[in-house]
Amino acid sequence: SIRWAETGMEPTLTLIAPQVIAWRHPRPVGAEGRCIGRTDLPVDRRKAKRLAHRVRQAARRHGWPRVVHTSSLQRCAAVGQHLRRWGWRHHIDDTLLEMDFGAWDGLTWPQIAHAEVDAWCNDFAHHAPGGGESLQAMLDRVTTSLDGLSVAPQSPLLIIAHAGWVLSARWVTQNVAVPAQPSQWPSAPRYGECCVLPAAPIQYRPVEPPIRK
């Protein structure tokens, strides 16, 4: 994938196939030191507007359609709302949501028992942290999301996305097996960073759950 930093300018692109172009949302307020998935944190209005301006500039430069997709969570939707005020179409799609961390969601990391984190690490693909969503379920959801999003020929799909969705989309478009260990999972993109991905997932092969004794 091609990645751009939050403070950089999107370079000139030549798209030879349908692409998904996903910007990670701006830094939300109150996320530091916490496990944040579906917790609906606000985002600074100026940061949301700044990212919306970058998206608009890139679309003007490349002749992209003025259509953006986001989840319903404020940290993504706020960017889409700015673009809508400028005449864009803003589609809210909750298949684009961040990973569901269940009972962990919103807690500080020290509030989560080490044994629970170890249980997830020991069954990284299939354990549902906090009783929420397993990585396998997340990858399946993102695959369904990519399959359901329509992309016109030579016209990219523009998304304001969550880090977990971006990493999952990158994984299912570049790998054939679900990661079995946390060390295999890539690091999160920076806030405002942009990733270019193929529009369709490859057929990755789920790993088998470990045998319980």
Side-chain angles (χ1 to χ4, degrees):
S1 64
I2 302 170
R3 306 201 304 171
W4 305 312
E6 180 177 7
T7 56
M9 179 66 68
E10 283 76 2
T12 300
L13 292 176
T14 300
L15 298 180
I16 59 175
Q19 304 268 359
V20 171
I21 301 182
W23 286 262
R24 189 184 179 191
H25 59 75
R27 183 186 300 275
V29 177
E32 292 77 11
R34 299 169 66 193
C35 175
I36 301 297
R38 303 291 176 86
T39 302
D40 195 8
L41 296 178
V43 66
D44 184 279
R45 185 178 182 277
R46 292 167 298 178
K47 292 181 179 179
K49 187 174 183 179
R50 191 178 305 134
L51 180 54
H53 179 65
R54 282 180 49 209
V55 175
R56 181 172 64 167
Q57 281 188 317
R60 283 175 174 172
R61 186 178 307 114
H62 302 294
W64 296 337
R66 299 194 304 165
V67 181
V68 67
H69 298 253
T70 78
S71 77
S72 59
L73 296 179
Q74 295 178 68
R75 54 194 187 270
C76 291
V79 180
Q81 288 162 5
H82 278 291
L83 289 166
R84 187 176 64 219
R85 294 187 191 105
W86 298 335
W88 284 51
R89 281 184 290 158
H90 174 206
H91 296 288
I92 293 178
D93 180 354
D94 278 345
T95 68
L96 302 175
L97 281 167
E98 182 58 282
M99 187 171 181
D100 182 1
F101 287 98
W104 292 11
D105 224 308
L107 298 180
T108 63
W109 286 105
Q111 290 176 308
I112 301 170
H114 289 295
E116 293 186 35
V117 177
D118 288 343
W120 185 23
C121 292
N122 292 334
D123 187 7
F124 188 57
H126 302 98
H127 183 80
E133 186 174 33
S134 69
L135 180 57
Q136 175 75 74
M138 176 76 177
L139 294 173
D140 289 343
R141 172 164 63 83
V142 171
T143 299
T144 300
S145 179
L146 289 170
D147 287 340
L149 292 167
S150 59
V151 182
Q154 304 301 319
S155 180
L157 188 76
L158 309 184
I159 298 175
I160 309 301
H162 300 277
W165 192 95
V166 171
L167 296 179
S168 296
R170 183 183 299 166
W171 190 272
V172 300
T173 56
Q174 296 179 357
N175 296 273
V176 296
V178 176
Q181 300 176 1
S183 60
Q184 296 176 277
W185 193 243
S187 58
R190 294 182 292 276
Y191 292 111
E193 187 174 345
C194 183
C195 300
V196 179
L197 302 160
I202 60 176
Q203 296 300 312
Y204 70 91
R205 185 183 69 255
V207 297
E208 292 297 323
I211 297 174
R212 303 292 185 184
K213 295 183 179 180

